[in-house]
Amino acid sequence: MERWSGRVALVTGASSGIGAAVCENLVKNKLNVVGAARRIERMQDLAEKLKNEEGTFLPVKCDVTKDEDVFAVFDKIKETFGGVDVCVNNAGIVGTGPGLLDGTPEEWRQIFNVNVIAACLCSKLTVNSIRERNLDEGHIINISSLAGHFVYPTASIHFYTGSKFALRALSEGLRQELQEDSTGIKVSKDTDIRIDDFNIAPF
Ligand SMILES: NC(=O)c1ccc[n+]([C@@H]2O[C@H](COP(=O)([O-])OP(=O)(O)OC[C@H]3O[C@@H](n4cnc5c(N)ncnc54)[C@H](OP(=O)(O)O)[C@@H]3O)[C@@H](O)[C@H]2O)c1
């Protein structure tokens, strides 16, 4: 982690759960962390909790399904810190889950917009930010799920599962594009899941 000390990380979905925990950890490892989520007050509480750490935490209100909000976060980061070095695409929703036969396109669009489109946009803007500063290192981390590897027989998460499979495929696509471009920007597409640890046949 030492090499990232003083660098800038964007974490989406920073207002609760895994995103808030990631922010706390990065701040404690001396990064300047920008949290993006809709519930600004929860992130402000986190900022208060982290105010004496060596890194910093800046909460920015953002609905990641609104492109203009996402652009505004990157503008804010550029203005405050110069740019983004690490992007943790964590914001994710499961949906209310009536299954594929009873679900609605509105809900499917919302899940896809949060879990997939927003991650692609934040990744692209992070790469742009790294390139415009003529840097050759950065890290994009896409928070997937076991549901990005297995299709569980649980109707309520089937669309979510599709979105996590898509995110995993798109992460690999991004990794290939970056490799072709000979950049030092890395893409991590998962927690390092050891498939053999799970007694389920991958799809
Ligand atoms: N928890 C698990 O067991 C588990 C397992 C596998 C994978 N995951 C993945 O891990 C990630 C985090 O999960 P979690 O359990 O920590 O979830 P969580 O506690 O429900 O947090 C979800 C985060 O996403 C944000 N978010 C949702 N919609 C958003 C939007 N439109 N714009 C901006 N932010 C939005 C929420 O912020 P606001 O509501 O404030 O906007 C919240 O901060 C997700 O990608 C999830 O799929 C979780």
Side-chain angles (χ1 to χ4, degrees):
M1 285 302 288
E2 268 305 301
R3 63 194 275 249
W4 296 107
S5 170
R7 306 290 291 278
V8 181
L10 166 64
V11 180
T12 66
S15 60
S16 71
I18 294 169
V22 167
C23 290
E24 184 165 347
N25 204 284
L26 294 179
V27 169
K28 287 183 174 169
N29 278 282
K30 306 179 193 167
L31 277 83
N32 296 311
V33 180
V34 177
R38 293 165 302 178
R39 287 172 295 172
I40 185 82
E41 61 297 335
R42 291 181 66 119
M43 294 190 291
Q44 284 164 341
D45 290 346
L46 183 59
E48 182 62 24
K49 180 180 168 192
L50 298 175
K51 70 179 181 199
N52 294 323
E53 299 293 339
E54 285 185 81
T56 63
F57 182 64
L58 173 66
V60 181
K61 188 175 168 69
C62 169
D63 180 339
V64 295
T65 67
K66 295 181 177 158
D67 296 351
E68 64 275 20
D69 279 17
V70 174
F71 288 124
V73 170
F74 278 81
D75 287 346
K76 175 83 182 164
I77 296 174
K78 185 173 180 177
E79 178 191 307
T80 313
F81 298 110
V84 182
D85 303 302
V86 176
C87 176
V88 184
N89 288 307
N90 163 78
I93 54 172
V94 183
T96 54
L100 294 174
L101 297 182
D102 296 311
T104 63
E106 289 75 20
E107 181 159 83
W108 297 336
R109 270 187 212 103
Q110 182 67 10
I111 294 170
F112 216 76
N113 283 340
V114 175
N115 297 6
V116 180
I117 306 291
C120 289
L121 180 57
C122 289
S123 299
K124 172 187 160 158
L125 295 176
T126 298
V127 173
N128 288 351
S129 170
I130 292 167
R131 282 179 171 156
E132 78 184 14
R133 288 172 291 145
N134 295 315
L135 297 176
D136 192 33
E137 65 168 3
H139 205 144
I140 292 162
I141 298 158
N142 290 334
I143 304 294
S144 181
S145 170
L146 277 176
H149 294 264
F150 307 112
V151 182
Y152 292 93
T154 308
S156 61
I157 63 164
H158 280 159
F159 195 87
Y160 170 79
T161 299
S163 75
K164 291 298 187 183
F165 265 73
L167 183 63
R168 196 154 65 87
L170 292 162
S171 306
E172 174 59 16
L174 177 63
R175 189 193 67 77
Q176 290 178 13
E177 288 183 36
L178 289 168
Q179 194 174 41
E180 214 162 278
D181 229 22
S182 302
T183 74
I185 305 170
K186 292 192 165 42
V187 181
S188 295
K189 54 179 174 288
D190 250 357
T191 45
D192 282 329
I193 291 170
R194 294 195 332 192
I195 299 294
D196 294 346
D197 289 349
F198 297 91
N199 192 19
I200 313 169
F203 174 70

